[in-house]
Amino acid sequence: MTSARATPADAAAELVAVQFALARRGLGLAQAALAGAGRVESLRHYPRGDVIDADNRSQFYYHLHGSSRCPAAEHGHFHLFTRRPDGRFSHLAGLSLDDRGWPLRWFTTNRWVTGETWQWAPALSADIDRFAPRTTGRLAPVARWLGAMVWIHRRGLKALLRRRDAVVARHLLRRDADDFFEDRRHDVLTEQRIDLAHTLSRLAGIPPPTPGDN
C-alpha cells in the first residue's frame, strides 16, 4: 500500500492497523521483528539473511547491540537499505525501538557500520520514496509497517541524509575519505527523535494530546 500513489493518511492508517493487529496478539514491533526467535543474540540479524524484496529494491533486518553505544531505552533497531539489481546495497536509515516496540529515533550511520556501498543523499532520495518491502510469513506485517513509517517520515529522512552528508563533508576537508568511512570512532552520524503520536495526530487532523489531558 505504501507507494508513490499512497497518501500520508493511507500510510498512517496501515501503520496503525499493523500495530493494532500485533497488539491483539500481545506483540509489539520489537517482538514481532524477532519472528519468534527462542534465543536472542547480540548483533545477529533477524531474520538471518535479512528480508530482501528485489522487486521493490528494499531490504531490512533487526538486531540488538546490548552496548553503551545505544540509548538506554533502546531494545534494538532496524537497518533499512535500498538494494541494487547487482546485489550492492546502500543504507537509508536506522530505526530504534524501545522494548514495547515503540519507535524512538531515526539515525544514519558511517559506511563501516553496515558495509554498504556509499551513496550521497541526492542519489538516495528516490530510494526513500520507493522503500516498500514485501515478504510472506511472520515478518509480513513488520515489512508493511516499515514501509509506512518511511513513507510518512520521508521528508524528514531526506533531510537527515542531507545532514549526514554535511557531517561527512566537514570531516573530508581534513582527511582521506576511506580513512573516515572506516573510522570506528564515528558510527552514528545524524539522528532525529520520533514523536509518532504527534505525527499521526497531525496526519489525521486531530490536535495532539497535551500534558494533563485525560
Side-chain angles (χ1 to χ4, degrees), residues 3 26 30 33 49 61 98 107 136 160 177 201 206:
S3 72
Y61 66 84
D98 66 16
F107 62 93
T136 58
L160 195 65
S201 295
I206 301 171

Side-chain angles (χ1 to χ4, degrees), residues 35-214:
R39 178 184 176 188
V40 180
E41 301 174 25
S42 180
L43 298 181
R44 176 184 166 181
H45 290 203
Y46 293 90
R48 192 181 298 275
D50 304 1
V51 170
I52 297 174
D53 180 351
D55 290 338
N56 286 315
R57 291 172 51 171
S58 301
Q59 176 177 346
F60 72 86
Y61 66 84
Y62 186 78
H63 74 170
L64 297 77
H65 276 207
S67 74
S68 59
R69 291 190 297 138
C70 298
E74 180 180 298
H75 174 272
H77 52 260
F78 292 100
H79 283 289
L80 315 181
F81 304 89
T82 181
R83 188 174 182 89
R84 307 299 175 196
D86 63 5
R88 292 181 300 157
F89 55 89
S90 298
H91 193 247
L92 297 174
L95 175 59
S96 296
L97 303 181
D98 66 16
D99 58 7
R100 301 169 302 163
W102 199 250
L104 297 172
R105 62 169 183 156
W106 293 106
F107 62 93
T108 67
T109 58
N110 203 353
R111 186 180 70 185
W112 67 266
V113 174
T114 62
E116 65 175 305
T117 296
W118 184 267
Q119 292 199 76
W120 299 97
L124 293 173
S125 180
D127 295 311
I128 290 286
D129 293 336
R130 185 186 295 114
F131 185 84
R134 289 292 182 268
T135 190
T136 58
R138 301 177 75 161
L139 286 170
V142 175
R144 296 199 312 275
W145 185 87
L146 284 171
M149 278 290 290
V150 169
W151 185 245
I152 66 175
H153 291 99
R154 64 193 185 282
R155 291 185 180 87
L157 287 172
K158 292 174 186 180
L160 195 65
L161 286 166
R162 292 193 296 270
R163 285 171 45 207
R164 178 206 67 170
D165 286 5
V167 170
V168 173
R170 287 196 297 272
H171 282 282
L172 296 190
L173 290 173
R174 302 188 299 272
R175 58 198 299 192
D176 175 80
D178 282 337
D179 180 43
F180 174 72
F181 284 137
E182 299 303 319
D183 190 337
R184 265 52 179 176
R185 295 171 299 177
H186 298 282
D187 50 3
V188 172
L189 299 180
T190 56
E191 59 184 319
Q192 177 64 53
R193 290 178 60 84
I194 298 170
D195 186 341
L196 186 57
H198 183 277
T199 299
L200 293 176
S201 295
R202 175 177 55 80
L203 291 173
I206 301 171
T210 57
D213 285 351
N214 294 323

